[in-house]
Amino acid sequence: MLAISEQYKKQANFIGGEWVNADSGETLDVNNPATGEIIGTIPKSGKAETRRAIEAAQAAFLTFRKISALDRSKMLRRLHDVIMDNQESLAQLLSMEQGKSLFEARGEVGMSAAYVLWYAEEARRTYGDVVPSPWADRRILVTKEPVGVVAAITPWNFPASMLARKIGPAIAAGCTIVAKPATQTPYSGLAWGLLAEEAGIPAGVVNIVTGSASEIGGEITKNPLVRKITFTGSTEVGKLLLKQAAGTVKKVSMELGGNAPFLVFNDADLERAVEGAIAAKFRNSGQTCVCTNRFLVQSKIYNKFVERLAEASDALKVGNGMDEGTQQGPLIDMNAVESVESMIEDAVKKGGKVVAGGKRHSLGGSFFEPTVIANAKARMRFTKEEIFGPIAPVYKFKSEEEAIDLANNTLFGLACYFYTQDLGRAYRVMEGLKYGLVGVNEGVITTVEAPFGGMKESGLGKEGGHQGIEDYLDTKYVCIGGLGM
């Protein structure tokens, strides 16, 4: 096993450029899900610490907003370089606290750096407009300016890259930020404080607070100094934040839950479809919002697809993420294991057939076997509920129209995938699916250059692409008169 670098494992809040503990001195334990061991503690902070972080961000904003776009771009470029110079240490830290394989962790850290670099470039492209005036003696300008203090709340499944998608555009736009990382994976969040220091980002621009979700979230939503909230997490919590943020009419962007369908048509390249299915389902042990939740397979190739998917699932190497060669690590905790077990039990009772996996792994702890369930039916729980674990239920459909209807029959609309070699069908299905992200003959499609975000109850706003900076900017109209033209 590789030695863990302690360089970026900070166990304190980062407020106004200083590392501080919770006022009460209370802490929360952080566990390694692969071993169960306590790897450290973090401050159990609440309203008071969050308020100070917001005030520090506001104080910093008054000067940071005046820094030129070019200088902010240079800061982000330095931040990108610092991340990449320490990619291995950050990946080891991520794998240790989250459980994912080192291969995936390295990829996530690299993606974090890529988002930062993208927004270093976008910082210089927040263009305004000069609008042709209907008045001869007036001129019309449309300008973009930073919204102010941004509050970011991020999940445990991608603790590095989710913050990159928020810190990057915030700094690029000229905003300051207060971030709350998940308590299960706080160190990859707190590491951004150290990274910001090393990159020379001014004190107060990036602030990170750990602790009580209800107290920190409550202060964020009520405090009038916060002008935007960006949240990645469950739809249930997102709805609560939307209600709370309404009191001070904050800008909000929400990347919420999903129920991703994966459609395989009779004319699909079966081997390519199975390869994409493994990537789309079992990445991060199935614990992502864009992981396949439902495999919908056309009747002619249904049995063959199930057989190939089961074989590929059985071949996955399950183990400690810190061990080279591991493809699937543990689930985040035992609650996740019990949730997966209850879904499998429900499916079996209702006629589902376990053709691969189906139980806790022999490694013990929160390790779970990659699982494939055939004969999936609409009445099973995972038809409507997000699995967030390594279960691949496979449903059967007959026609293209039926497949699209089944895929869209959900409250969610984040990601979806389908496989076909028919060009006409590719366009019909692509346009028929009500999802923010669509993969055609590809199972992994996220990239910094493209907008990421859902429809329906999967969220509001976009992250990534040139669209990702818009929510961090206010648009201002200026009419200049009396020009004597």
Side-chain angles (χ1 to χ4, degrees):
M1 182 179 294
L2 294 172
I4 293 293
S5 169
E6 297 288 318
Q7 180 184 2
Y8 285 101
K9 197 179 83 174
K10 292 296 291 187
Q11 302 186 80
N13 293 321
F14 188 59
I15 299 176
E18 297 183 355
W19 294 98
V20 295
N21 294 318
D23 292 355
S24 65
E26 292 185 78
T27 60
L28 297 169
D29 292 337
V30 181
N31 297 297
N32 181 335
T35 64
E37 67 177 330
I38 296 173
I39 55 176
T41 63
I42 54 169
K44 185 179 180 182
S45 307
K47 295 179 182 179
E49 297 89 342
T50 307
R51 189 177 304 117
R52 286 200 297 277
I54 293 168
E55 290 168 353
Q58 175 63 22
F61 175 68
L62 298 178
T63 54
F64 189 66
R65 64 177 300 180
K66 299 175 184 177
I67 292 176
S68 72
L70 176 59
D71 286 339
R72 295 197 303 272
S73 177
K74 290 177 179 177
M75 285 180 195
L76 287 170
R77 286 182 179 277
R78 290 197 298 271
L79 181 57
H80 163 271
D81 292 345
V82 171
I83 294 169
M84 291 308 297
D85 287 345
N86 296 279
Q87 183 178 20
E88 188 63 23
S89 294
L90 293 166
Q92 290 184 31
L93 181 68
L94 198 167
S95 183
M96 177 179 65
E97 66 175 344
Q98 201 275 338
K100 66 179 61 178
S101 71
L102 266 176
F103 175 80
E104 287 193 37
R106 291 176 186 128
E108 181 177 341
V109 174
M111 179 68 83
S112 300
Y115 272 112
V116 169
L117 183 60
W118 174 261
Y119 285 109
E121 297 162 347
E122 286 299 298
R124 303 180 69 190
R125 292 170 175 79
T126 53
Y127 302 128
D129 295 289
V130 177
V131 180
S133 174
W135 305 288
D137 64 342
R138 304 184 200 178
R139 295 295 179 265
I140 295 174
L141 305 180
V142 178
T143 61
K144 302 287 182 70
E145 58 185 43
V147 298
V149 176
V150 173
I153 302 174
T154 54
W156 51 262
N157 56 341
F158 289 94
S161 62
M162 292 299 100
L163 266 176
R165 296 203 310 212
K166 302 175 191 305
I167 290 174
I171 292 175
C175 299
T176 55
I177 192 164
V178 176
K180 183 212 170 294
T183 54
Q184 297 102 316
T185 56
Y187 296 132
S188 292
L190 289 164
W192 282 95
L194 280 170
L195 295 168
E197 283 184 313
E198 291 184 39
I201 294 170
V205 172
V206 175
N207 305 273
I208 305 161
V209 182
T210 63
S212 168
S214 59
E215 289 197 29
I216 294 173
E219 180 61 31
I220 282 170
T221 54
K222 287 189 296 186
N223 196 308
L225 295 178
V226 175
R227 296 315 311 148
K228 171 184 166 58
I229 295 175
T230 172
F231 170 73
T232 300
S234 72
T235 296
E236 180 184 11
V237 174
K239 289 179 178 180
L240 177 61
L241 292 172
L242 282 168
K243 289 179 182 177
Q244 293 176 343
T248 48
V249 195
K250 303 182 192 301
K251 270 194 165 190
V252 292
S253 56
M254 298 275 152
E255 198 269 280
L256 307 177
N259 188 348
F262 188 110
L263 286 61
V264 186
F265 291 93
N266 286 335
D267 62 0
D269 179 332
L270 192 59
E271 296 304 320
R272 186 179 182 90
V274 171
E275 181 182 351
I278 291 294
K281 174 68 253 185
F282 295 110
R283 178 187 178 204
N284 199 22
S285 303
Q287 300 173 120
T288 90
C289 54
V290 295
C291 273
T292 301
N293 216 67
R294 298 166 291 149
F295 286 95
L296 309 175
V297 182
Q298 203 159 11
S299 53
K300 184 179 177 180
I301 62 166
Y302 181 87
N303 291 335
K304 188 175 291 186
F305 179 84
V306 169
E307 179 184 350
R308 300 279 180 85
L309 183 63
E311 289 173 356
S313 301
D314 284 336
L316 289 171
K317 181 182 177 182
V318 179
N320 189 322
M322 296 298 295
D323 296 338
E324 290 290 352
T326 291
Q327 294 170 289
Q328 181 178 294
L331 298 184
I332 189 65
D333 55 30
M334 292 309 296
N335 289 333
V337 172
E338 291 168 5
S339 175
V340 165
E341 286 179 324
S342 69
M343 285 193 175
I344 295 173
E345 182 181 359
D346 170 79
V348 171
K349 283 182 180 178
K350 295 172 181 175
K353 180 182 179 182
V354 176
V355 294
K359 61 184 185 298
R360 300 186 187 191
H361 198 276
S362 59
L363 289 171
S366 60
F367 290 95
F368 205 90
E369 295 177 342
T371 299
V372 178
I373 298 178
N375 302 328
K377 304 296 181 185
R379 61 181 176 271
M380 296 173 184
R381 277 177 50 198
F382 41 51
T383 302
K384 300 295 183 184
E385 298 179 27
E386 190 171 18
I387 296 171
F388 237 67
I391 306 175
V394 191
Y395 303 72
K396 186 184 293 185
F397 70 86
K398 293 181 180 179
S399 69
E400 181 181 308
E401 294 75 15
E402 180 189 6
I404 294 172
D405 288 344
L406 289 170
N408 287 336
N409 187 20
T410 173
L411 296 173
F412 301 101
L414 184 53
C416 62
Y417 314 89
F418 70 92
Y419 281 70
T420 180
Q421 297 188 83
D422 183 315
L423 182 60
R425 171 174 283 157
Y427 273 91
R428 291 192 302 271
V429 176
M430 174 185 69
E431 293 173 3
L433 292 168
K434 193 68 174 175
Y435 287 83
L437 293 79
V438 182
V440 185
N441 296 325
E442 293 291 344
V444 178
I445 60 174
T446 305
T447 180
V448 302
E449 294 84 359
F452 186 104
M455 300 178 180
K456 300 189 284 187
E457 293 194 13
S458 284
L460 303 166
K462 301 296 180 184
E463 295 184 318
H466 70 82
Q467 297 89 346
I469 199 170
E470 290 299 323
D471 276 340
Y472 296 80
L473 296 165
D474 284 330
T475 300
K476 179 181 286 184
Y477 156 51
V478 181
C479 179
I480 304 173
L483 298 178
M485 308 298 288

